[in-house]
Amino acid sequence: FFQAEDGIRDQPRSRGLGDVYKRQVEARINAAGKAFGALRKGVFASCQVTAGAKRRAYEALILSILLFGCEAWCLTEVLMQRLRVFHAQCARAMCRVTRKHTWEHHISSEQLRERLGLDSIEYYIARRQLRWLGHVRRMGPERLPRRMLSAWVAHKRPAGAPQFTYGRTIAKAMDVFDLDPVRWPELAADRGAWRTMLRSGEAPLGFRQAPPPPVPMPMSHFLVRPRRAAATRTNAAIDASRRGANVNF
């Protein structure tokens, strides 16, 4: 069986790590929900607490519980959506806005996050994953995490594939920070520059991803479509009448 960081054990009927990640996410959401509910009346839903204080308490307490161990998660879109829903529910509760209000007044979750000064849940997860990735990059080659980061198997992959891999997870995290997937080890070697990037939310100019190549226009875009004979005669008559009106004037 697999042993998770928070004591969640895989059951014999599990089909692999995907089920472990699913149970970990569900357990983290339940634990964070209990903590949020305990502080909801006195802090998060209180009119006497400012939005900045709610944000700091939410990031320090609730997100720390919610994202515990997310550095090693391989989140599929289904699991990421569960975290998005929880994040949106907490934002509505802190803004004292119900789902009915959002439907009637067309209030988006992004607007509520801007009111509180919060970022998306993808940003918080990517920042934690890249922070751990920088630690592993600066480890010595004799350390096991460092060896596993650059390890590979010299055998053909069997039939089938996991729902999501850790490499794809790190690639998505780099996309959030617009970080070049080739030159990131050079930046991660400098701890100060790496921490500055995580605080600012974007990679330095020299380490950003190259812009995507422009999409070529189809050949039909450059071809002049022949006009219809009727449209050509109509336009010619309109032009002639305008010239005649200008001469008479």
Side-chain angles (χ1 to χ4, degrees), residues 56-182:
R56 288 188 291 269
Y58 179 75
E59 291 179 343
L61 300 176
I62 308 304
L63 286 182
S64 298
I65 299 175
L66 178 66
L67 302 181
F68 176 79
C70 71
E71 294 83 359
W73 286 353
C74 297
L75 295 175
T76 61
E77 189 60 27
V78 176
L79 298 179
M80 184 64 74
Q81 182 62 24
R82 292 282 293 112
L83 296 172
R84 292 194 195 103
V85 170
F86 178 82
H87 193 50
Q89 290 174 349
C90 294
R92 287 196 301 268
M94 287 186 285
C95 293
R96 300 174 62 85
V97 174
T98 63
R99 184 173 296 180
K100 181 180 180 181
H101 293 157
T102 59
W103 291 342
E104 293 179 350
H105 302 283
H106 305 284
I107 304 174
S108 63
S109 299
E110 183 178 359
Q111 293 175 348
L112 297 179
R113 292 198 307 266
E114 291 179 356
R115 187 185 304 179
L116 296 168
L118 293 173
D119 294 299
S120 63
I121 194 65
E122 291 87 352
Y123 172 80
Y124 291 111
I125 295 175
R127 186 173 63 180
R128 287 170 175 262
Q129 291 176 344
L130 292 181
R131 183 186 295 117
W132 168 247
L133 184 65
H135 292 325
V136 177
R137 168 62 182 84
R138 291 186 295 271
M139 290 180 181
E142 71 281 356
R143 299 284 300 275
L144 183 59
R146 178 67 177 82
R147 294 171 60 184
M148 293 297 296
L149 180 64
S150 57
W152 59 283
V153 179
H155 294 280
K156 184 178 179 181
R157 181 185 291 273
Q163 295 181 352
F164 211 71
T165 62
Y166 188 71
R168 296 175 187 173
T169 302
I170 295 300
K172 290 182 64 176
M174 292 183 181
D175 292 338
V176 174
F177 282 77
D178 196 17
L179 182 62
D180 189 357
V182 178

Side-chain angles (χ1 to χ4, degrees), residues 33-58:
K34 293 178 181 179
F36 188 88
L39 299 175
R40 179 167 184 167
K41 184 177 180 180
V43 179
F44 295 119
S46 176
C47 298
Q48 301 177 355
V49 181
T50 62
K54 293 180 181 180
R55 175 183 59 82
R56 288 188 291 269
Y58 179 75

